[in-house]
Amino acid sequence: MVVFHRATTKWDERSFIGNRFDTKNHGPIKKDVIKVIDPVNLKVLDSWGAGMFYMPHGITIDSKGNTWLSDVALHQVFKYEPDQKKPSITLGTRFESGSDENHFCKPTSIAVSTKDEHVFVADGYCNSRVVEFDKDGKYVQSFEDLKSPMSVVHSVVLIEKLNLVCATSREDGRIICFDRDTKEKKAEITNPMMKTVYALKYDPTYEFILAVTGANDDQPSVGLTFNASSLERLGDLVNVWDSNEAVLSDSHDLAVSRDGKNVYVGQLNGEIDQFLVE
Ligand code: ZN
């Protein structure tokens, strides 16, 4: 299990002036922000990343074992190859927000195609798009819901079997799926339990989309499983896998083991909770 965390830094109302990170008051995080943990005995096997990141957000390990990280203060996304501590690809412009091919605005999450290693960045807190790059980091195209712009694009997944790019519009609880080639909006998944939706993962073993909702005044986070086996059944609710407020309080991110049986939820209170889903 690999965890990207903010260590000593907290994102609060003083962290940003508009979309610009306040570097005068906040330097890079001096502690290691990446931890590699044995998920069975919870031993920390490795840690790194001190002095490099300002406001860690998203982590994805691709099928080749590369680590992709996003930092919302830097407005950048980085690719680290196995055992390398210098990025081999940097996307976005350091500390500069924007909405062109070379800028993000607080990018949140990354998905990487197993087919051609293209990279999809959820962008983000202050843009409303998913941006695609090729395996060398060259801009390809952007995905947007033009009729109803996404509000905080917080998570992105690929469903390669269906040729879809799916992203969360966090603040209004929508999961929107685009055709990867035509960029056409193919589906919008909503559910009364999903007032806000923070994180998504696609599980290719069972062909499910797993999602965690945010906490609302009257309701803690819940985990939801949706069918993703075909375009016709996409978004059918399969399971609600936790509604126990003692367990999920305020979920932020999600990971699934390769066999599809273990789901891990990172919460804003600093906990990671593990669920067995059958
Ligand atoms: Zn977030």
Side-chain angles (χ1 to χ4, degrees), residues 6 11 57 108 125 154 170 198 252:
R6 294 185 190 142
W11 185 346
H57 197 278
T108 54
Y125 276 92
H154 200 258
R170 188 184 91 176
Y198 273 63
H252 188 259

Side-chain angles (χ1 to χ4, degrees), residues 146-160:
L146 295 169
K147 280 203 185 122
S148 176
M150 293 186 278
S151 173
V152 182
V153 191
H154 200 258
S155 189
V156 59
V157 294
L158 299 174
I159 306 175
E160 302 207 85

Side-chain angles (χ1 to χ4, degrees), residues 1-10 27-37 44 46-59 61 67-72 74 78 80 85 272:
M1 178 164 64
V2 188
V3 184
F4 192 31
H5 66 107
R6 294 185 190 142
T8 48
T9 289
K10 243 193 157 56
I29 299 170
K30 293 189 185 79
K31 290 195 164 166
D32 283 342
V33 291
I34 293 124
K35 271 194 171 118
V36 182
I37 300 168
V44 177
D46 190 18
S47 73
W48 57 282
M52 295 154 70
F53 297 96
Y54 291 75
M55 195 65 78
H57 197 278
I59 180 166
I61 314 276
T67 302
W68 294 83
L69 301 167
S70 77
D71 186 309
V72 291
L74 289 164
F78 306 94
Y80 291 87
K85 303 296 182 261
I272 297 165

Side-chain angles (χ1 to χ4, degrees), residues 201-266:
K201 275 289 172 307
Y202 173 65
D203 165 21
T205 310
Y206 294 111
E207 299 182 332
F208 290 151
I209 290 176
L210 299 141
V212 285
T213 74
N216 295 300
D217 301 337
D218 53 343
Q219 183 196 301
S221 298
V222 287
L224 302 172
T225 303
F226 296 104
N227 194 312
S229 61
S230 66
L231 258 185
E232 293 68 41
R233 301 196 60 194
L234 181 66
D236 290 355
L237 186 67
V238 177
N239 192 11
V240 181
W241 44 269
D242 190 78
S243 55
N244 177 353
E245 66 187 283
V247 181
L248 278 186
S249 58
D250 213 346
S251 303
H252 188 259
D253 200 13
L254 182 59
V256 186
S257 64
R258 288 239 158 99
D259 62 8
K261 291 191 172 129
N262 292 279
V263 177
Y264 301 85
V265 180

Side-chain angles (χ1 to χ4, degrees), residues 179-190:
D179 183 285
R180 191 186 147 169
D181 298 320
T182 65
K183 304 200 288 179
E184 187 193 337
K185 182 171 155 182
K186 299 294 272 191
E188 178 170 300
I189 303 169
T190 57

Side-chain angles (χ1 to χ4, degrees), residues 170-182:
R170 188 184 91 176
E171 292 304 290
D172 55 12
R174 293 182 296 150
I175 299 168
I176 295 158
C177 296
F178 302 94
D179 183 285
R180 191 186 147 169
D181 298 320
T182 65

